[in-house]
Amino acid sequence: MQTRMDEVKAQVQGALDSAIALLPSGELADAMAYATVGGKRIRAFLVMESARLHGVSDDAALPVAAAVEALHAYSLVHDDLPSMDDDDLRRGMPTCHVQWSEATAILAGDALQTLAFRLLADDAVGDAEARIRLIRAFADAVGAGGMVWGQALDIAAETSIEPLDMKAIKRLQGAKTGALIRFAATAGPLIAGDDPEHLDRYAAKLGSAFQIMDDILDVIGDENVTGKRVGKDDAAGKATFVSIMGLDGARGEARRLVQDAEAALETYGEAAGNLRELARFVIERDT
Amino acid sequence: MQTRMDEVKAQVQGALDSAIALLPSGELADAMAYATVGGKRIRAFLVMESARLHGVSDDAALPVAAAVEALHAYSLVHDDLPSMDDDDLRRGMPTCHVQWSEATAILAGDALQTLAFRLLADDAVGDAEARIRLIRAFADAVGAGGMVWGQALDIAAETSIEPLDMKAIKRLQGAKTGALIRFAATAGPLIAGDDPEHLDRYAAKLGSAFQIMDDILDVIGDENVTGKRVGKDDAAGKATFVSIMGLDGARGEARRLVQDAEAALETYGEAAGNLRELARFVIERDT
């Protein structure tokens, strides 16, 4: 898996750099480039592997992988803003508004969202019908019924007196991080016009496990390894999987979810080895 | 023209309300609805009239008109933020971040951009090829090579010591307001697969005239009529068409541009009566 992941990382960085190089030079493009460097590229990896499983070439899937990472980068830039999560460290570097300015960070995020849609419309991806299927699913995953809605619920929870219960946390995280992960993992069948059911179930479980690990790393993680501030949830008195289930309970739940995720891949047999390994990586990671 | 404009206003408001009604209810959807109420709907009118001139039905053009207004609404919400233009009044109402919060305004703007792309992918618009043509042109008009780039140039100009010269102002405004107006006016030929050349020239001239009038209204306008703060450019020491050409010079330039815009419509004959009238309205308006 690691070889393929390194390959995807390099390919996606190349695609993002090329797309940004086409824009007028200046602070805006520089801030966009800054925001799209680094990261684990798990979403891009999901796109590329789900494409491979459905007979879609790397060349066709690459703009979609780059789109998903551009969108993810925009969401981080806006989430980190002072009026949102107010973070100063991301991927081990100053956050975008610290490095540039709040105005530039807002605009760079805005333009990264636009870039994501532009990449999905790329000729290389497939016929127009396939691209429209992707664009609709993508918009549903990231807009006010998906990721942005989840972030709004998260902001609302921070100012609410009642801490969230487990059901509310699952709903929030399913939207905030789950929806884009599910889009990424189903991009292959969406392009090919195949049934995305199995990969969607895999991604739903994987996304939940991923979020639980994020909550665990906020408690036990090392800032020098994670590249972002830790201990923030507890300081904010925020209800998380860990605060409700305890560390051991959360670890157990993440393990169960990863087993479910692997089970959903059965239909793909050996070919899904990389996605199985990714699922295990998600709960073993320290970053 | 007024009857058609009123008709378009009602249709577009209906389309936006319906699209937002599909989203999970709550503050985010409420803020999106708040931000999409009112306005002159000039961009929607351009979409609907350019569609009519190219044999595209109102039903097909309506999602595109709604998309353009959703995008315009997002741009106003983000432009008005404290770290950007810091405006408290828009369309005669408190701006989005004043009415709700900065975080909600940022998220509502983000989700309005997503909604715009979702609307362009609507089945009613035309075949998938037509929708992809629209989505690419739209992304180019609004992203880091279009509207957002123009806003970044505008922000940079505010903090620069050297005031902009005429060439720099034209470049800035051509991107900030011109690009979306040109997209709107060429949506009809883009859907139909026709040559957008004449409407693009019309829209380029119209957009410039529109911006010059905005600068004039910032000097001579009445806050109770414009529904937004006036006198801001002068207070900020900002170079505008008026500061460089003077009031009479700017008025004369706007009139010349409107004549050029009307001339570009010649090929359409009588059928373009509404667009001719719109061009004249743009320099006669007091709001």
Side-chain angles (χ1 to χ4, degrees):
Chain A
M1 180 185 80
Q2 195 54 54
T3 315
R4 173 70 165 160
M5 205 167 227
D6 290 343
E7 183 185 73
V8 166
K9 270 188 191 178
Q11 285 178 336
V12 163
Q13 193 63 55
L16 289 167
D17 290 348
S18 303
I20 293 169
L22 295 174
L23 302 170
S25 60
E27 192 168 296
L28 179 62
D30 291 346
M32 291 169 73
Y34 182 84
T36 47
V37 167
K40 294 179 287 293
R41 305 296 193 202
I42 286 175
R43 292 159 189 81
F45 186 77
L46 287 169
V47 170
M48 301 304 283
E49 283 297 296
S50 89
R52 203 177 52 73
L53 288 175
H54 286 264
V56 175
S57 73
D58 276 13
D59 285 351
L62 187 56
V64 182
V68 167
E69 292 294 338
L71 199 287
H72 179 54
Y74 126 64
S75 77
L76 298 181
V77 169
H78 281 194
D79 283 5
D80 287 340
L81 286 167
S83 60
M84 309 271 268
D85 297 350
D86 196 14
D87 263 307
D88 60 352
L89 194 67
R90 169 72 67 182
R91 295 171 177 174
M93 311 265 283
T95 47
C96 199
H97 65 274
V98 171
Q99 179 73 13
W100 308 90
S101 69
E102 220 174 307
T104 296
I106 293 169
L107 293 172
D110 290 346
L112 283 168
Q113 179 177 180
T114 315
L115 179 63
F117 280 100
R118 182 64 183 80
L119 285 162
L120 293 178
D122 192 295
D123 283 335
V125 174
D127 62 26
E129 291 283 355
R131 284 177 276 165
I132 288 292
R133 276 197 301 275
L134 281 175
I135 288 166
R136 293 167 68 137
F138 189 70
D140 291 341
V142 306
M147 186 192 80
V148 174
W149 180 53
Q151 175 67 0
L153 291 175
D154 205 11
I155 297 277
E158 273 165 31
T159 54
S160 130
I161 299 159
E162 282 284 303
L164 297 184
D165 60 17
M166 184 56 81
K167 197 180 146 193
I169 292 179
K170 283 187 177 167
R171 188 179 70 152
L172 187 165
Q173 295 298 352
K176 187 176 171 181
T177 61
L180 186 60
I181 286 175
R182 287 166 78 166
F183 170 83
T186 55
L190 276 171
I191 298 171
D194 296 339
D195 186 349
E197 188 202 329
H198 297 288
L199 285 176
D200 188 54
R201 199 162 68 242
Y202 162 79
K205 303 292 181 181
L206 181 82
S208 297
F210 188 86
Q211 187 53 49
I212 291 176
M213 272 312 294
D214 252 15
D215 287 355
I216 292 174
L217 284 172
D218 189 67
V219 176
I220 65 164
D222 178 344
E223 224 155 80
N224 294 319
V225 181
T226 62
K228 59 185 178 184
R229 298 280 176 230
V230 298
K232 289 199 58 169
D233 296 338
D234 192 45
K238 207 166 154 181
T240 69
F241 288 104
V242 175
S243 75
I244 293 182
M245 311 174 86
L247 260 180
D248 285 347
R251 274 210 189 89
E253 175 72 6
R255 270 196 299 271
R256 269 188 300 277
L257 285 162
V258 164
Q259 280 164 13
D260 292 348
E262 291 191 58
L265 296 172
E266 209 184 335
T267 182
Y268 294 104
E270 290 298 306
N274 279 341
L275 290 183
R276 281 194 193 86
E277 221 176 305
L278 176 70
R280 292 191 292 269
F281 164 77
V282 154
I283 53 167
E284 285 156 12
R285 69 198 168 98
D286 55 7
T287 171
Chain B
M1 181 187 78
Q2 195 54 53
T3 316
R4 173 70 166 159
M5 207 167 226
D6 290 343
E7 184 185 71
V8 167
K9 270 189 191 177
Q11 284 177 336
V12 164
Q13 194 63 57
L16 288 167
D17 290 347
S18 303
I20 293 170
L22 294 175
L23 302 170
S25 59
E27 192 169 294
L28 179 63
D30 290 348
M32 290 169 73
Y34 182 84
T36 47
V37 166
K40 295 180 285 291
R41 305 295 193 201
I42 285 175
R43 292 159 189 81
F45 186 77
L46 286 169
V47 170
M48 300 305 282
E49 284 297 295
S50 88
R52 202 177 53 72
L53 289 175
H54 285 264
V56 175
S57 73
D58 276 13
D59 285 351
L62 187 56
V64 183
V68 168
E69 293 294 338
L71 199 288
H72 179 53
Y74 126 63
S75 77
L76 298 181
V77 169
H78 281 194
D79 283 4
D80 287 340
L81 286 167
S83 60
M84 309 272 268
D85 297 350
D86 195 13
D87 264 307
D88 60 353
L89 194 67
R90 170 71 68 181
R91 295 172 177 173
M93 312 264 284
T95 47
C96 199
H97 64 274
V98 171
Q99 179 73 15
W100 309 90
S101 69
E102 223 175 304
T104 297
I106 292 169
L107 293 172
D110 289 347
L112 282 168
Q113 178 176 180
T114 315
L115 179 63
F117 280 100
R118 183 64 184 80
L119 285 162
L120 293 178
D122 192 296
D123 283 334
V125 173
D127 61 26
E129 291 283 356
R131 284 177 275 165
I132 288 291
R133 276 197 301 275
L134 281 175
I135 287 166
R136 293 167 68 136
F138 189 70
D140 290 341
V142 306
M147 185 192 79
V148 174
W149 180 53
Q151 175 66 0
L153 292 175
D154 205 10
I155 297 277
E158 273 165 31
T159 54
S160 131
I161 298 159
E162 282 284 302
L164 298 183
D165 60 17
M166 183 57 81
K167 197 180 147 194
I169 293 178
K170 282 187 177 167
R171 187 179 71 150
L172 186 164
Q173 296 298 352
K176 186 176 173 181
T177 61
L180 186 60
I181 287 175
R182 287 165 80 166
F183 170 83
T186 55
L190 277 172
I191 297 172
D194 296 339
D195 185 350
E197 187 203 329
H198 297 288
L199 285 176
D200 188 53
R201 197 161 69 241
Y202 163 78
K205 303 294 182 182
L206 181 82
S208 298
F210 188 85
Q211 188 53 49
I212 292 176
M213 271 312 294
D214 252 16
D215 287 355
I216 292 174
L217 284 172
D218 189 67
V219 176
I220 65 163
D222 177 343
E223 223 154 81
N224 295 319
V225 181
T226 62
K228 58 184 177 185
R229 299 279 175 231
V230 298
K232 287 200 58 167
D233 296 338
D234 193 45
K238 205 167 155 179
T240 69
F241 288 105
V242 175
S243 75
I244 293 183
M245 311 174 86
L247 260 180
D248 286 348
R251 274 209 189 88
E253 176 70 7
R255 270 195 299 272
R256 271 188 298 278
L257 285 162
V258 164
Q259 280 165 12
D260 292 348
E262 291 191 58
L265 296 172
E266 207 183 337
T267 181
Y268 294 105
E270 289 298 306
N274 279 342
L275 290 183
R276 282 194 192 84
E277 220 175 305
L278 176 70
R280 290 192 292 271
F281 163 76
V282 154
I283 54 167
E284 284 156 13
R285 71 198 168 99
D286 55 6
T287 172

